[in-house]
Amino acid sequence: MTGPLQVLLPAADGGTRAYTPRAEPPPTTAGGPPLTSRTVFSAAHVVADPRADVSPDGPAAVDWDATLAFRHHLWSHGLGVAEAMDTAQRGMGLDWAGAAELITRSAAEAKAAGGRIACGVGTDQLAGPAGLVEVRSAYEEQLALVESAGAQPILMASRALAAAAASPDDYLETYGHLLRQSAEPVILHWLGPMFDPALEGYWGSADLDAATDTFLEVIAAHPDKVDGIKVSLLDADREIALRRRLPDGVRCYTGDDFNYPELIAGDDHGFSHALLGIFDPLGPLAAEAVRALDTGDAKRFRALLDPTVELSRHLFQAPTRYYKTGVVLLAWLAGHQTHFTMVGGLQSARSLPHLARAYELADGLGLFPDPALAAARMRSLLTVHGVPQ
């Protein structure tokens, strides 16, 4: 049994090591109005209902009150919410019926709270192989729902399109059709295969230079219908090069959870806005950092965000698609939900040493409003997994 200020964490040699959490709560980060120098979305997770009698491969059971309360938490700090994205386990536990309800509920909450929201539009209602006509129809159905809910659409990368497309022209035709019929400018989302292996070769080529050319051709043909692009390739140099080739007025939203401070800060030629999964656990701190940019204080922005990169790289380490497990762990430890349960049972997708290191890094950053609560919850998790405290 450790003392009241220690947690026994798994050690690399198979034993344990004592960690002393911070004793005092971090300074309270006040909320505030929307940010001004950058447009910032946090891709938000969903909170499972732990009492529902469901199976891992059945429809998700969502705790709607806790899920929507977390979105209000993000809005209160001036962040936008990117809804029904991969952080919400879209395609990894949350099916289209669940995503549609999430979009409808969150969009209504955003309207009531005055919060900004953009929602993922995909093709995940398709079951089994589909042709291009079916892919286009699936996209249209989801686009109509998002627009009717009053949210900004994010055209997500589609596994079905990746499987059905035979050439770059198929992407040009599909996206061109969707952009022509969209009522308002959309965000285009390029999610790399590190997040979803089924998206390998998206835009018609595994050669990223060729894929980038096709991506830019889509935008150039419809610049008035593209608010911006979200790039999740975890390659800062490639994002910067792509950012510099965008038409005037088209934003680049970084989705790079490895290099976000430098990309958001920018350079003499421009900067990236943000649409990031790591801003789920970092919400208040990320907002505080961007408010520093709002006043022109880039040095303070970097001083606040640079130390968070180690945690982000840890959460998003390969296999990257399981980063959601660490995100939900931190939400539980921070007191945003009462349990560590995920839809589809994905709380088991990361090892105990991985989760323990995530706790340690987050505590070091002062991400837990109540460090004693976080320590007590971490002790309970470790005890259940055979690490006596």
Side-chain angles (χ1 to χ4, degrees):
M1 174 82 61
T2 65
L5 296 180
Q6 286 192 326
V7 180
L8 286 181
L9 301 178
D13 62 3
T16 59
R17 57 186 178 85
Y19 172 71
T20 302
R22 65 169 57 223
E24 298 296 330
T28 300
T29 302
L35 310 171
T36 58
S37 62
R38 305 289 187 272
T39 300
V40 179
F41 291 98
S42 168
H45 73 282
V46 292
V47 182
D49 179 353
R51 301 184 184 187
D53 185 11
V54 295
S55 63
D57 57 354
V62 176
D63 181 336
W64 292 112
D65 288 343
T67 293
L68 295 174
F70 189 76
R71 280 131 183 85
H72 280 278
H73 157 70
L74 295 171
W75 287 321
S76 74
H77 288 279
L79 300 170
V81 168
E83 189 56 275
M85 306 292 289
D86 56 295
T87 304
Q89 295 180 244
R90 186 84 179 263
M92 291 183 69
L94 189 70
D95 61 12
W96 167 235
E101 185 171 1
L102 178 63
I103 289 166
T104 301
R105 286 175 177 261
S106 290
E109 292 291 319
K111 184 177 181 180
R116 183 164 186 168
I117 189 167
C119 299
V121 171
T123 62
D124 44 327
Q125 70 270 52
L126 295 172
L132 292 174
V133 172
E134 290 81 12
V135 168
R136 190 171 73 182
S137 295
Y139 263 130
E140 289 174 335
E141 176 189 358
Q142 297 199 15
L143 178 61
L145 183 137
V146 169
E147 290 186 334
S148 68
Q152 181 178 20
I154 304 172
L155 292 187
M156 301 169 67
S158 162
R159 294 173 181 173
L161 180 56
S167 70
D169 287 342
D170 290 335
Y171 288 89
L172 293 170
E173 196 283 327
T174 299
Y175 277 91
H177 174 84
L178 294 170
L179 290 172
R180 283 190 296 271
Q181 75 174 58
S182 64
E184 300 292 340
V186 309
I187 298 173
L188 296 180
H189 185 192
W190 185 356
L191 191 68
M194 68 288 295
F195 289 93
D196 187 342
L199 300 177
E200 182 72 43
Y202 212 74
W203 304 109
S205 178
D207 181 321
L208 289 179
D209 290 334
T212 297
D213 288 341
T214 302
F215 187 44
L216 287 168
E217 190 173 344
V218 169
I219 298 165
H222 309 277
D224 59 322
K225 289 297 187 73
V226 180
D227 165 73
I229 62 168
K230 189 228 174 177
V231 186
S232 299
L233 298 176
L234 304 183
D235 183 333
D237 290 339
R238 183 169 292 279
E239 178 174 323
I240 291 169
L242 174 57
R243 185 173 75 196
R244 293 177 181 175
R245 296 175 63 186
L246 292 175
D248 290 342
V250 176
R251 297 182 176 98
C252 179
Y253 294 92
T254 188
D256 188 333
D257 299 278
F258 283 8
N259 304 291
Y260 50 94
E262 64 189 83
L263 291 165
I264 298 169
D267 54 32
D268 292 340
H269 301 282
F271 56 82
S272 294
H273 300 269
L275 197 166
L276 288 162
I278 191 57
F279 280 5
D280 178 302
L282 293 184
L285 181 58
E288 183 182 357
V290 176
R291 288 193 205 290
L293 274 185
D294 291 349
T295 66
D297 192 347
K299 184 176 181 180
R300 175 165 169 74
F301 169 82
R302 295 297 297 265
L304 288 168
L305 272 198
D306 282 357
T308 69
V309 171
E310 184 180 5
L311 170 64
S312 189
R313 286 178 175 253
H314 177 74
L315 295 181
F316 284 78
Q317 69 183 221
T320 303
R321 61 190 179 277
Y322 294 120
Y323 73 88
K324 298 95 164 168
T325 302
V327 165
V328 173
L329 171 80
L330 298 184
W332 173 54
L333 296 178
H336 293 298
Q337 55 194 79
T338 60
H339 57 85
F340 178 41
T341 306
M342 298 174 66
V343 298
L346 279 184
Q347 66 272 12
S348 65
R350 291 294 202 187
S351 70
L352 191 64
H354 177 93
L355 299 177
R357 181 59 177 159
Y359 159 69
E360 184 178 20
L361 290 170
D363 181 69
L365 291 168
L367 296 186
F368 302 132
D370 185 343
L373 174 67
R377 288 184 169 184
M378 194 67 207
R379 286 194 196 101
S380 70
L381 180 67
L382 291 161
T383 300
V384 166
H385 285 81
V387 183
Q389 298 297 297

